[in-house]
Amino acid sequence: MLIAAVIALGVGTYAMRLSGVLLRDRLELSPAVQRLLPMAAAALLAALAGTAALMAGTEFAGVARPAGVAVGALLAWRKVPFVLVVVAAATVAALLRLAGLP
Amino acid sequence: MGTVYRTQARPRDVAALAAATLAVGASFGAITMAYGLPAWLAPLMSVVVFAGGAQFLAVGLFAAGNPIAAVFAGLLLNARHLPFGLAVADTLGTRWRDRLIGSHLMTDEVVAFTLAERTPAARRKVYWLVAISLVIAWNVGVLLGVLLGGATGDPDAFGLDAAFPAGLIALILPSLRDRDTRLVALTGAALAVLLTPVLPAGLPVLAALLGLLVLLFPSRRHPAANDSTAAVVRDLSAGAGASDLTAAVVRDLSAGAGANGPAAGPVVPATVFTEPAEENRC
């Protein structure tokens, strides 16, 4: 049962990944609609970042993680290199947790 | 040196992401063992599913004895890959080998890194570089987690849960310089956060697509353009290069090219800016 579930999840996930790629050929998208695709992707990625930064399950994620992400976002906005953004976000969150914040 | 990750992902950027992925993979492997699930489960899932969020969600439900819910919840969470596929289809090109393999390796981070690149060649290179790095890092991490069990530690203690959203933000920030993209993305993100407490996992992120509806509102900057078609036409005729899938990203980057490194400026081909305007008038 477990193995069937894993394979069903894998096949379904692959089908969704591939169908987006293949649909792009089949769909005759007007330039106006094509312009929306990167916007749609940006909206999904922003939503992932927002929910991952602020929420843990269905509740707010506490202090440490949103604070770490906020520091990272600020550094990214200040055009600090990507690797430092990621490391700073993790470090701030880790230090705040070490200090006992949730 | 400030904007290197916008113009061309550096190996060290990808390495940082791969290291974080390896650590989270290890925690995934360790968690499946802690749940008392069979040792083959985590490595098999990581090869067959290769989607971190869905894997964490699914093993929680497996452990709760609910494999059918695990499949549905995982698929719901992964439904965002369909619009991602639409957005990166041009990057994967038309070769079947690339499409079949590239699709399986599609993750949020791959899509974010890819769409942050300005030229089709750079997007293609980054897609494969990030995809292959992450699939290796994830699977090695999961194996380590299964073998070492609890010794891998809690990734939250190292702040890794903050690293991933911060990385995503850094990658999408350049595209947010475009006013319409910014409105759509921020509205979508706000909707997703607000809906997270009330909708099952996966749906809030998909609901972010409703952010596109803000484009239907009359433009604030151009009062004359009071419907979506007019707004899009206005942008097209402004030379946005919208026949290209990645028009918004290309436009942002070219707008900010002055701030970038020496290789930045001339890379965007002039044709990108002239073609669509012609098309649009037809």
Side-chain angles (χ1 to χ4, degrees):
Chain A
M1 188 62 195
L2 212 51
I3 199 164
V6 169
I7 288 169
L9 181 54
V11 169
T13 299
Y14 184 65
M16 287 187 290
R17 284 168 163 155
L18 188 63
S19 59
V21 172
L22 299 186
L23 266 175
R24 183 70 184 76
D25 271 358
R26 306 285 187 281
L27 298 176
E28 291 281 329
L29 298 181
S30 71
V33 175
Q34 285 183 36
R35 183 172 172 270
L36 299 182
L37 292 180
M39 284 196 199
L44 291 169
L45 292 170
L48 279 169
T51 51
L54 299 175
M55 310 299 288
T58 59
E59 293 178 354
F60 281 101
V63 178
R65 191 199 304 169
V69 176
V71 168
L74 184 70
L75 293 176
W77 182 59
R78 298 300 300 164
K79 295 177 181 169
V80 168
F82 179 86
V83 64
L84 294 180
V85 168
V86 172
V87 170
T91 307
V92 169
L95 289 177
L96 289 176
R97 287 202 178 106
L98 203 59
L101 287 165
Chain B
M1 74 179 261
T3 56
V4 279
Y5 57 85
R6 293 187 191 168
T7 56
Q8 177 83 44
R10 291 242 166 136
R12 67 170 186 212
D13 298 341
V14 181
L17 195 68
T21 300
L22 187 125
V24 175
S27 85
F28 173 74
I31 281 171
T32 60
M33 299 306 281
Y35 277 148
L37 292 163
W40 53 261
L41 182 74
L44 180 74
M45 276 186 106
S46 300
V47 171
V48 173
V49 183
F50 186 50
Q55 288 181 227
F56 273 105
L57 184 63
V59 293
L61 290 164
F62 284 153
N66 205 339
I68 293 172
V71 173
F72 281 106
L75 290 178
L76 194 55
L77 195 62
N78 286 339
R80 66 183 186 277
H81 286 95
L82 200 152
F84 281 158
L86 285 170
V88 300
D90 285 0
T91 295
L92 282 175
T94 53
R95 285 174 67 180
W96 278 100
R97 189 200 66 183
D98 291 354
R99 285 169 158 183
L100 293 175
I101 300 172
S103 293
H104 186 55
L105 304 185
M106 183 189 303
T107 60
D108 306 320
E109 290 79 16
V110 171
V111 172
F113 259 100
T114 300
L115 295 183
E117 293 295 330
R118 62 176 54 201
T119 66
R123 282 196 290 275
R124 182 170 303 236
K125 192 177 143 202
V126 160
Y127 189 99
W128 288 103
L129 175 69
V130 177
I132 291 169
S133 305
L134 294 193
V135 76
I136 293 172
W138 179 250
N139 282 285
V140 169
V142 170
L143 277 178
L144 285 176
V146 169
L147 294 174
L148 303 176
T152 52
D154 174 12
D156 284 8
F158 305 110
L160 286 173
D161 55 329
F164 280 92
L168 276 184
I169 289 170
L171 289 168
I172 61 175
L173 213 53
S175 71
L176 299 187
R177 207 180 292 148
D178 173 70
R179 185 179 141 279
D180 286 348
T181 304
R182 185 169 63 235
L183 266 175
V184 168
L186 294 183
T187 308
L191 271 175
V193 170
L194 291 174
L195 291 173
T196 296
V198 292
L199 291 181
L203 278 182
V205 165
L206 286 181
L209 292 174
L210 295 174
L212 289 168
L213 294 176
V214 298
L215 298 178
L216 295 173
F217 291 114
S219 168
R220 289 132 304 255
R221 200 175 50 188
H222 296 264
N226 56 5
D227 65 39
S228 64
T229 318
V232 172
V233 167
R234 174 248 307 164
D235 285 359
L236 288 179
S237 52
S243 76
D244 184 351
L245 172 65
T246 53
V249 171
V250 168
R251 181 180 37 175
D252 295 339
L253 289 169
S254 60
N260 292 326
V267 190
V268 181
T271 50
V272 169
F273 294 91
T274 51
E275 270 172 17
E278 307 289 333
E279 264 176 40
N280 187 46
R281 287 188 197 103
C282 294

